């Protein structure tokens, strides 16, 4: 483990960053780092690669958070698809995922698959094919789940199919047993090519397209009901306010946060926020002209408390949700080649309640073929106040359909708020409480696994944070 300290003065901004990077695993196959993110479930990190494995078509793996116990759970065969994308979704002991392409020989153009958390029971739920482009081709991002229904997107195919473009993409749903596949929305001209994953909040799905807004081919933010009705454009990027968003939105309260790879004040992308009703768009940060500490964002933001963490192709960075406190962490200066973390990365950081974890694209590590790492910046912390949080109990744990929050000896809980955060740092639930014992339904949460329950007082000060397991 190495500890790095960077103190940098740029124009009127002074950035002093103290962060730790820990190399957890070095990949051995060229390109095996893949285009996926890690998933934290059952106390382990799960991920996929786009190369390596028994058939050199990539594999599903698990690893302990301390870097030990790396296991290949399943090696993809060419007919099962290649180039696994997004992150795995964990639900009730089962992992769900997608591959974005076929083997180049058959007509397969991506797959939806599942396997048990121990690697057994691998099965393909659906194969997308070039012979049936109306159902979509080339899945993109990750799946989300509500009950027994999976939701996702494809980057190409759909009802608006054009030979030159290969289709404009779709939003789809499918049952967890592979039945009842349906197209909820086919993207049309002027809104094509979704990128990243859907964000689920109650009955709504939110997402972004990477091309074609109202101006300059710059992209859109949209929302749609889970039944496919009510498709609405919330925001058109116009290059000045950002261009080509290529990740997934994150939710904090009624505010969506995201980033673009291009556009903004200097053409190198920005971090933004917008209300869930489409109002209040605000640029939080744009790249400093001519600097090298933030260039072309990749993946998605992670929200921990009031801090957003993200990555570009040269560094990690953090910024407060009000746009202040920008810091950057130049992994290109951590170690020397070939152990450099100077990589071009896709995917998203994953939060387990105490640290952030990431995986690179194809460079970095002792073999320069990709690396899994742990990231613990100094500003990654849990706040508390003087109230006695030890009397707050949450049960049952593990839970299935509901939890009870018992505030114990807290005299006045009027105006308090409960937020539930998933392993990606996304807020998936928020509800006010006003009594000593409160029952919270878990039926609308997307998937099983480990979640954080955060309790705030009436001044929005954090009282307590507890981990729960939802089965």
């Amino acid at each position: 483990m190495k500890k790095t300290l960077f103190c940098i003065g740029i124009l009127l901004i002074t950035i002093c960053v103290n962060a730790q990077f820990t190399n957890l695993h070095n990949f051995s196959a060229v390109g095996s780092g893949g285009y996926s993110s890690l998933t934290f479930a059952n106390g382990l990190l799960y991920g996929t690669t786009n190369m390596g494995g028994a058939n050199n078509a990539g594999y599903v793996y698990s690893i302990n958070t301390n870097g030990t116990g790396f296991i290949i759970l399943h090696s993809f065969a060419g007919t099962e698809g290649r180039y696994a994308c997004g992150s795995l979704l964990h639900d009730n002991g089962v992992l769900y995922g997608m591959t974005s392409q076929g083997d180049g020989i058959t007509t397969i153009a991506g797959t939806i698959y599942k396997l048990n958390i121990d690697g057994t029971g691998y099965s393909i739920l659906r194969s997308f094919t070039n012979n049936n482009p109306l159902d979509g081709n080339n899945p993109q991002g990750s799946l989300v789940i509500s009950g027994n229904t999976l939701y996702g997107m494809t980057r190409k195919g759909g009802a608006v199919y054009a030979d030159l473009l290969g289709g404009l993409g779709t939003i789809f749903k499918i049952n967890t047993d592979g039945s009842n596949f349906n197209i909820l929305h086919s993207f049309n001209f002027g809104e094509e090519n979704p990128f990243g994953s859907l964000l689920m909040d109650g009955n709504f799905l939110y997402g972004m397209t990477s091309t074609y807004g109202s101006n300059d081919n710059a992209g859109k933010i949209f929302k749609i009901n889970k039944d496919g009705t009510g498709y609405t454009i919330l925001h058109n990027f116009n290059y000045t306010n950002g261009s080509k968003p290529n990740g997934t939105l994150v939710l904090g309260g009624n505010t969506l946060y995201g980033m673009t790879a291009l556009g903004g004040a200097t053409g190198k992308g920005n971090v933004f926020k917008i209300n869930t009703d489409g109002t209040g768009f605000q640029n939080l940060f744009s790249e400093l002209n001519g600097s090298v500490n933030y260039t072309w964002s990749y993946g998605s933001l992670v929200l921990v408390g009031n801090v957003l963490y993200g990555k570009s192709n040269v560094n990690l960075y953090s910024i407060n949700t009000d746009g202040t406190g920008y810091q950057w962490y130049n992994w290109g200066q951590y170690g020397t080649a070939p152990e450099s973390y100077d990589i071009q990365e896709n995917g998203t950081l994953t939060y387990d309640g105490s640290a952030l974890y990431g995986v690179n694209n194809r460079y970095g590590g002792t073999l320069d073929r990709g690396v899994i790492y742990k990231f613990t910046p100094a500003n990654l912390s849990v706040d508390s106040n003087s109230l006695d949080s030890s009397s707050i109990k949450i049960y049952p744990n593990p839970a299935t359909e509901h939890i009870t929050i018992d505030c114990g000896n807290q005299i006045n809980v009027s105006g308090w708020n409960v937020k539930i955060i998933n392993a990606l740092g996304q807020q998936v639930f928020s509800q006010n409480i006003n009594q000593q014992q409160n029952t919270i339904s878990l039926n609308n949460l997307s998937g099983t696994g480990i979640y954080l329950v955060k309790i705030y007082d009436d001044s929005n000060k954090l009282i307590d944070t507890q981990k729960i397991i939802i089965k």
Side-chain angles (χ1 to χ4, degrees):
M1 181 187 299
K2 296 182 180 179
K3 194 172 185 178
T4 53
L5 176 65
F6 305 103
C7 296
I8 299 148
I10 301 177
L11 298 179
L12 298 178
I13 300 178
T14 299
I15 307 168
C16 185
V17 177
N18 189 356
Q20 285 186 330
F21 290 91
T22 305
N23 184 331
L24 298 180
H25 179 77
N26 299 288
F27 290 105
S28 58
V30 176
S32 64
Y35 297 93
S36 68
S37 307
L38 296 167
T39 296
F40 181 70
N42 200 34
L44 300 174
L45 297 168
Y46 295 85
T48 59
T49 69
N50 64 347
M51 295 184 69
N55 305 298
N56 199 30
Y59 53 84
V60 181
Y61 64 86
S62 66
I63 186 173
N64 294 320
T65 55
N66 63 2
T68 63
F70 183 90
I71 298 174
I72 294 179
L73 299 175
H74 177 79
S75 290
F76 294 108
T79 55
E80 296 173 353
R82 301 178 69 118
Y83 296 102
C85 57
S87 59
L88 294 164
L89 168 68
H90 174 243
D91 183 56
N92 198 28
V94 178
L95 299 169
Y96 299 88
M98 298 190 289
T99 62
S100 61
Q101 298 182 30
D103 57 3
I105 300 174
T106 66
T107 61
I108 293 174
T111 63
I112 304 171
Y113 63 88
K114 71 176 181 179
L115 73 162
N116 296 324
I117 206 166
D118 62 0
T120 62
Y122 180 90
S123 63
I124 294 177
L125 299 179
R126 187 171 186 85
S127 292
F128 298 92
T129 70
N130 293 318
N131 290 338
N132 190 17
L134 296 181
D135 281 349
N137 286 332
N138 305 121
Q140 191 72 46
S142 309
L143 296 162
V144 294
I145 191 170
S146 177
N148 294 320
T149 304
L150 301 166
Y151 298 84
M153 296 191 290
T154 67
R155 186 160 174 77
K156 294 184 179 297
V160 187
Y161 184 78
D163 290 337
L164 293 178
L165 297 176
L168 306 180
T170 68
I171 302 171
F172 65 84
K173 69 176 182 178
I174 185 172
N175 290 344
T176 53
D177 62 2
S179 62
N180 293 327
F181 177 87
N182 284 288
I183 299 296
L184 297 179
H185 180 77
S186 288
F187 291 97
N188 210 329
F189 289 102
E191 59 179 30
E192 55 257 42
N193 299 132
F195 208 98
S197 307
L198 294 167
L199 168 69
M200 182 182 296
D201 179 37
N203 290 320
F204 296 108
L205 299 167
Y206 297 88
M208 297 189 287
T209 62
S210 61
T211 56
Y212 289 103
S214 60
N215 298 287
D216 299 312
N217 187 17
K220 294 175 180 284
I221 302 173
F222 65 84
K223 78 173 181 179
I224 186 172
N225 296 323
K226 289 193 298 184
D227 63 2
T229 63
Y231 180 85
T232 305
I233 300 298
L234 297 180
H235 180 74
N236 287 285
F237 291 100
N238 59 16
Y239 199 83
T240 300
N241 62 21
S243 174
K244 295 190 181 301
N246 62 2
T248 304
L249 296 163
V250 296
L251 180 67
N254 293 318
T255 304
L256 300 166
Y257 299 90
M259 57 188 179
T260 65
L262 298 173
T266 61
K268 293 185 177 182
N270 64 345
V271 179
F272 64 85
K273 70 177 181 178
I274 185 173
N275 295 328
T276 53
D277 63 1
T279 63
F281 181 90
Q282 181 181 346
N283 179 17
L284 297 178
F285 181 82
S286 291
E287 155 66 346
L288 298 173
N289 190 23
S291 69
V292 296
N293 63 329
Y294 174 94
T295 307
W296 298 302
S297 294
Y298 288 91
S300 307
L301 296 167
V302 173
L303 177 61
V304 182
N306 293 318
V307 182
L308 297 161
Y309 296 88
K311 62 174 71 71
S312 73
N313 63 325
V314 296
N315 68 282
L316 302 181
Y317 61 88
S318 63
I319 186 171
N320 297 327
T321 52
D322 63 0
T324 63
Y326 174 79
Q327 298 180 352
W328 64 283
Y329 313 88
N330 191 343
W331 51 15
Q333 298 182 29
Y334 169 67
T336 57
E339 294 184 295
S340 172
Y341 284 88
D342 184 11
I343 57 176
Q344 293 186 1
E345 179 164 6
N346 293 290
T348 303
L349 294 169
T350 298
Y351 181 55
D352 74 342
S354 60
L356 295 163
Y357 300 87
V359 58
N360 76 346
N361 181 357
R362 58 186 303 174
Y363 301 115
T366 57
L367 299 174
D368 203 27
R369 294 178 176 178
V371 63
I372 301 171
Y373 59 89
K374 179 180 180 180
F375 174 53
T376 53
N379 62 352
L380 185 69
S381 60
V382 176
D383 296 325
S384 62
N385 66 11
S386 58
L387 292 176
D388 180 16
S389 63
S390 64
S391 66
I392 298 177
K393 308 298 181 185
I394 300 178
Y395 56 87
N397 191 9
T400 53
E401 297 180 352
H402 69 273
I403 56 174
T404 296
I405 300 177
D406 188 341
C407 296
N409 60 11
Q410 307 297 339
I411 298 175
N412 182 13
V413 300
S414 178
W416 284 22
N417 180 261
V418 174
K419 301 184 190 301
I420 301 179
I421 313 297
N422 67 14
L424 293 178
Q426 299 172 339
Q427 178 183 304
V428 295
F429 179 87
S430 178
Q431 178 177 308
N432 289 332
I433 59 175
N434 294 287
Q435 52 193 12
Q436 304 304 117
Q437 288 191 342
N438 305 269
T439 299
I440 305 294
S441 173
L442 305 175
N443 291 332
N444 289 325
L445 296 192
S446 177
T448 60
I450 296 178
Y451 290 78
L452 296 180
V453 178
K454 293 176 174 280
I455 302 173
Y456 296 82
D457 68 11
D458 56 357
S459 66
N460 201 36
K461 194 168 186 179
L462 185 63
I463 302 298
D464 193 21
T465 300
Q466 295 188 32
K467 290 183 184 180
I468 63 169
I469 298 174
I470 300 177
K471 291 185 173 181

